[in-house]
Amino acid sequence: FFRLISTLIHNFDISKSYKNRKKNVGDFLISKKGLSRYRTFFSAKHNNLLNIKKEAMNNFDNEYYTFFPIWGNNVPTIDFNEDIDSFDFPEDGPITEYDTIKFEFEEIKPKNPDMCDFLSGTEPDGEAFSKKFADIVSSFSPKGNQLLPATIYDPKNKKTYNDYFYLHTYNRLECLDRENAEYSTFSSDGRIMAVDKVRFNAGIMENTPLEERLIFRLGEWDVLRFIHKSIVYKLIEAGVTGIRFVSAADYHAGSAFD
């Protein structure tokens, strides 16, 4: 219940303090050759321009990225099939209840759907990743992450797409720098209700082996999931579609709508 409430707050950006926040400029594409100069990449398929950030990535805040969907007129939104109850997904281990995660298009069903490498919907964690995306993630063997086969059913065209996967991330890392991050808490017990600005605790990150933090959910607020730059570079090089990456350094509560 608390996770659902936190997600709604995160998605709809209702905090008054958000109104005067400057527009986020952290959505960017990382160049294969590094960040030595400005580069841009234009994704004609989604009419989306991603700007390269010039500054060197010299701390953990710049080494990790969360991600959001790129919406388009023909990009379908998806939801779990009625046979799938995401509340059955354990938070601290792999999924054993299901062998395949079933999705279907939500109410708006495009006639000619653009089946991107990343698809999502309104349901928390209702996300599907293409085989191309899954193969890259799998090659890194990120600890505490499970890839399960997924299907997506298009009722309008009566077609099932089988080359998708569900990424279950049960790796949680409590690594928020509470002195420098910005967040709100529940008055009753002080638990974090929503995070507006992410700053990682460098000590915790340094003492956690990289293989244990390649992909993780923020332990203090698991709505946020982060991917290490080494994986992000490979995904971008592969030209994955339907997704945009935002660095932890540039994340803010309204990033989903930038």
Side-chain angles (χ1 to χ4, degrees):
F1 172 76
F2 289 120
R3 184 179 178 185
L4 179 59
I5 295 299
S6 297
T7 303
L8 291 174
I9 294 172
H10 166 68
N11 286 341
F12 292 102
D13 191 19
I14 60 173
S15 174
K16 292 181 180 179
S17 65
Y18 304 156
K19 292 182 179 180
N20 296 322
R21 188 164 302 281
K22 295 181 180 180
K23 180 176 176 57
N24 173 43
V25 294
D27 299 347
F28 54 89
L29 183 70
I30 308 295
S31 168
K32 180 178 179 181
K33 296 181 179 179
L35 301 178
S36 59
R37 60 190 179 91
Y38 286 106
R39 293 173 182 267
T40 56
F41 174 84
F42 183 69
S43 174
K45 187 173 184 179
H46 298 288
N47 193 29
N48 182 65
L49 188 63
L50 302 179
N51 295 314
I52 303 296
K53 194 171 185 178
K54 185 177 181 181
E55 65 191 49
M57 302 200 314
N58 55 8
N59 57 59
F60 293 107
D61 300 332
N62 282 317
E63 290 184 1
Y64 284 89
Y65 301 82
T66 189
F67 53 91
F68 299 97
I70 297 175
W71 303 114
N73 291 334
N74 292 318
V75 177
T77 57
I78 60 174
D79 195 0
F80 292 109
N81 178 278
E82 61 181 9
D83 296 332
I84 302 295
D85 185 354
S86 61
F87 286 102
D88 290 336
F89 299 171
E91 294 186 356
D92 57 356
I95 295 171
T96 58
E97 186 78 14
Y98 306 99
D99 295 324
T100 301
I101 307 300
K102 298 178 181 179
F103 293 96
E104 58 187 25
F105 287 4
E106 289 187 317
E107 292 185 6
I108 300 176
K109 306 173 183 68
K111 183 177 180 181
N112 298 305
D114 188 355
M115 301 301 291
C116 303
D117 292 303
F118 174 61
L119 295 171
S120 67
T122 56
E123 181 73 14
D125 297 334
E127 301 167 339
F129 301 85
S130 71
K131 185 178 185 301
K132 176 168 68 174
F133 194 111
D135 284 347
I136 293 172
V137 169
S138 180
S139 70
F140 285 84
S141 301
K143 182 180 179 179
N145 287 268
Q146 176 188 24
L147 283 163
L148 283 172
T151 62
I152 304 174
Y153 179 63
D154 174 2
K156 177 175 286 187
N157 296 311
K158 294 181 171 56
K159 181 177 181 178
T160 300
Y161 297 89
N162 296 302
D163 292 334
Y164 279 86
F165 290 82
Y166 179 75
L167 178 59
H168 174 52
T169 300
Y170 55 93
N171 182 27
R172 282 164 169 74
L173 183 60
E174 292 193 2
C175 56
L176 194 67
D177 180 350
R178 298 200 179 210
E179 294 295 322
N180 295 301
E182 294 180 5
Y183 54 90
S184 55
T185 60
F186 291 100
S187 58
S188 57
D189 56 12
R191 287 184 302 109
I192 290 181
M193 179 171 60
V195 174
D196 184 18
K197 184 178 78 172
V198 175
R199 291 294 180 267
F200 291 128
N201 184 308
I204 293 175
M205 299 296 274
E206 288 171 354
N207 291 319
T208 304
L210 177 59
E211 58 270 21
E212 296 181 9
R213 51 178 170 85
L214 284 170
I215 302 178
F216 66 89
R217 290 189 181 278
L218 192 63
E220 294 86 350
W221 194 54
D222 65 4
V223 171
L224 285 176
R225 176 165 44 176
F226 291 98
I227 305 178
H228 188 258
K229 64 180 182 179
S230 58
I231 301 178
V232 173
Y233 289 174
K234 292 294 185 182
L235 291 170
I236 294 174
E237 286 177 5
V240 293
T241 58
I243 189 170
R244 60 187 178 89
F245 298 98
V246 179
S247 75
D250 290 315
Y251 168 82
H252 65 91
S255 290
F257 307 104
D258 287 339

